[in-house]
Structure formats: structure tokens, C-alpha cells
Amino acid sequence: MKQVSYSQYSMWSTCPQQYKLHYIDGLGQFSANINTIFGSACHEVIQHFLTVMYGVSKKQALTLNLEKMLYDKLVEHFTKEREKQDGQNPCTKEELDEFYEDGKLILQYFTKKLDSLYTKSGFELIAIEQVLNQEIRPGLNFIGYIDILLRDKGTGEVVIIDLKTSTRGWSKYQKNDKVKTSQMLLYKKFYSEKYDVDIDKIKVEYQILKRKIQENTEYQIPRISKFVPANGKPSINNAWKSFNEFIDDVFTEDIEYRQKEYTPNKGKHCDWCEFKERKLCPIWN
């Protein structure tokens, strides 16, 4: 059984050649950095807080020392990644210190604005890191993980929330990027199908956690902002159509990888592509 994910689709959309080298040729080498370490740590701290808040009480959750939890999680992920990389540090101490200070500000804002972000009367926490493992074609499954899943106990409406750590938030261009926002549309579609929930009763939102915000502006910039992409049936159908173009391009009818040439897509993304650094991409050989 082969699996595909949103991240695979996103990589293919950015550069088919990168996708081929990483997944078809099996040459990808994941290397953690301060951004992935920080993202994992923030996710886990906020998810633990919400587990306590919805499972016990808001009062109990607010007694948690979130800053210490963040520090411990940063150290934990740093240590794990250093072991995976044979003792090589995935980031510098200065980066850890800077990101920790930024994370403290995010968590302070999170608890201060908790009522507007999460405390919804009559809602319950369904799951943290809810697994989506849905067959989309014989022999091919979509795999995904929902960060936070809430349900309105009165109406039965479901809210899918995805946490995104970011330096300064998403630009207008990023919010209009149909590939970027298709993640939540695909999650909405597959959750509806897998759990037999009316798709019109599923809401989606990104919560964007910003490390840096512009100071001394006329209007206060929120440290955490919500973004709800267009997610009606036409938008979902378009996302699903584009995702199927990806499937058709890389798999045969027997769900085997197509052995063909894939076009490299030169652009700004090349700056952080591992295959440029390793001189495996034909553009940079």
C-alpha cells in the first residue's frame, strides 16, 4: 500500500524534479533545523494545554507552566535530532535562545487571548493529531494529521484547526496560494468521507503563530491570527482536481511510480533545496 500526503503534493507542485529525487529515487534526507524544532515544540505545548483545558478545566490548564514546557520541548527535540545526525547540532545555541524568547511571547498572547481563540461554549475536543488514512485509489492511501479537532456538542459542527509557526505571518500572496491552502480543503473532504460527517458541517481554520511582529504600528498586530481559506464545495472540488493531476503524473494505473523525466522548476525555493546543495539536481550540476 503506497501513501501520499499533502506535503508530497506541495513538493511536486513546487518542483516535479525535487519530488522525483526525494520520493521516486529515494534520495531525500530529512535534516531538522531550528524551524522544525520550534514548530514541533510549539505544537506540543499548545496541544497539551488544550487537552487539559477541554479534558479537565480552563482553570487547571492555566496553572501549567507553558514557558518551562516550551523550553523542555525545545531541548528534547534538539537532543533527538542531534542523535539522529550523529552528534551534529541541528541548530546553534543562539538560535535556540532567540526562538525560545519568541515562543514565550506567542504563549503569553495565547493565554491572554484564549477566549477569542478557543473557549467556545458547548465545544468539545475530539482529538489531537487525528490521523487521516483514507483510500483514494485501490492500493493508494492519503495520509494526514489534523492538529486540533473540535466539535460543537449542540449542532454537531466540526472545526479542523491547523497550527502554523511563521516568522512574520502569511503574506497576501501566501493566503492566495491555492496549493498552500489546499491542505485544509483535502482534510475537510477526507474527514467528511471517513467519518460520515456532512461536509457543510465542517469548518476549517489556520492559526498562524508569529515569532516577530512589527512594533509601534497604528494598529496592534496579533501574535496569533486566524485565517479561514475559501472552503466551499467549488474550492474543495478544485483542490481535489489538482491533487488528482499530481496522482496521475507520478503513478501508473497500477499505482507504480512512472519512470520518466520530471521537469526541474528553478526558483527561489532552490535556495533551501537539499538537492541543490548535494549537486543532484540537473539545474545545479
Side-chain angles (χ1 to χ4, degrees):
M1 178 69 69
K2 286 189 172 65
Q3 292 182 337
V4 289
S5 63
Y6 162 74
S7 61
Q8 290 186 37
Y9 164 57
S10 177
M11 181 182 290
W12 172 84
S13 297
T14 301
C15 179
Q17 178 68 24
Q18 183 186 16
Y19 177 87
K20 176 183 183 295
L21 291 169
H22 192 286
Y23 290 101
I24 298 177
D25 297 341
L27 298 175
Q29 296 177 350
F30 174 76
S31 180
N33 55 45
I34 184 59
N35 292 297
T36 58
I37 290 171
F38 180 73
S40 296
C42 280
H43 273 66
E44 291 173 16
V45 171
I46 290 175
Q47 288 171 331
H48 180 71
F49 180 96
L50 294 175
T51 299
V52 175
M53 186 178 81
Y54 284 103
V56 184
S57 68
K58 176 183 174 182
K59 181 178 179 180
Q60 181 66 28
L62 288 171
T63 66
L64 297 171
N65 188 337
L66 299 187
E67 293 183 5
K68 182 179 186 305
M69 287 175 59
L70 177 64
Y71 178 85
D72 291 343
K73 287 294 181 182
L74 286 169
V75 171
E76 176 186 333
H77 285 285
F78 174 88
T79 303
K80 284 182 180 178
E81 295 302 332
R82 182 170 59 185
E83 291 173 356
K84 289 180 184 177
Q85 298 179 28
D86 299 323
Q88 182 177 349
N89 290 339
C91 62
T92 66
K93 181 182 183 301
E94 289 74 20
E95 287 176 322
L96 273 177
D97 290 342
E98 177 187 350
F99 277 65
Y100 173 57
E101 292 302 321
D102 294 339
K104 286 163 61 176
L105 295 174
I106 290 172
L107 293 174
Q108 289 167 16
Y109 185 91
F110 171 77
T111 53
K112 182 180 178 180
K113 299 294 184 178
L114 187 60
D115 287 347
S116 61
L117 290 170
Y118 282 102
T119 307
K120 301 178 176 72
S121 177
F123 276 75
E124 63 181 343
L125 179 66
I126 303 175
I128 294 293
E129 293 297 321
Q130 172 71 54
V131 179
L132 283 176
N133 192 351
Q134 180 78 346
E135 183 178 76
I136 53 178
R137 295 186 187 180
L140 183 66
N141 278 25
F142 177 90
I143 187 77
Y145 300 88
I146 297 174
D147 288 342
I148 300 157
L149 196 59
L150 302 177
R151 178 168 53 217
D152 186 323
K153 291 183 285 187
T155 65
E157 282 189 338
V158 171
V159 184
I160 296 174
I161 299 173
D162 194 74
L163 302 175
K164 296 292 187 189
T165 50
S166 172
T167 303
R168 295 187 181 276
W170 284 8
S171 66
K172 183 177 179 181
Y173 170 80
Q174 289 173 303
K175 291 178 179 179
N176 288 327
D177 184 340
K178 298 304 180 185
V179 173
K180 193 177 190 71
T181 57
S182 67
Q183 178 184 5
M184 295 294 268
L185 307 188
L186 293 170
Y187 282 11
K188 179 173 178 174
K189 170 183 169 62
F190 294 133
Y191 186 84
S192 171
E193 294 173 353
K194 186 174 181 66
Y195 295 100
D196 194 26
V197 177
D198 184 345
I199 201 163
D200 292 328
K201 284 198 167 188
I202 301 175
K203 297 180 179 180
V204 299
E205 70 179 51
Y206 292 98
Q207 292 191 2
I208 304 168
L209 286 57
K210 306 166 193 171
R211 289 198 304 108
K212 308 291 185 185
I213 59 172
Q214 187 175 349
E215 305 288 350
N216 302 318
T217 58
E218 183 178 355
Y219 301 101
Q220 184 179 8
I221 299 174
R223 183 72 64 168
I224 302 174
S225 60
K226 293 183 180 183
F227 170 58
V228 178
N231 62 97
K233 289 180 181 177
S235 297
I236 293 172
N237 290 339
N238 287 335
W240 179 231
K241 179 182 177 182
S242 297
F243 191 81
N244 273 286
E245 290 172 358
F246 153 63
I247 300 299
D248 291 337
D249 189 53
V250 301
F251 291 105
T252 66
E253 291 183 0
D254 298 325
I255 312 300
E256 298 295 334
Y257 286 123
R258 293 188 187 278
Q259 300 304 318
K260 66 170 192 173
E261 293 297 320
Y262 286 80
T263 305
N265 182 20
K266 189 175 182 180
K268 188 175 181 180
H269 56 270
C270 294
D271 293 342
W272 52 84
C273 177
E274 64 171 305
F275 301 116
K276 174 184 177 181
E277 183 179 346
R278 294 165 61 194
K279 302 188 183 302
L280 293 174
C281 177
I283 291 180
W284 302 104
N285 275 346

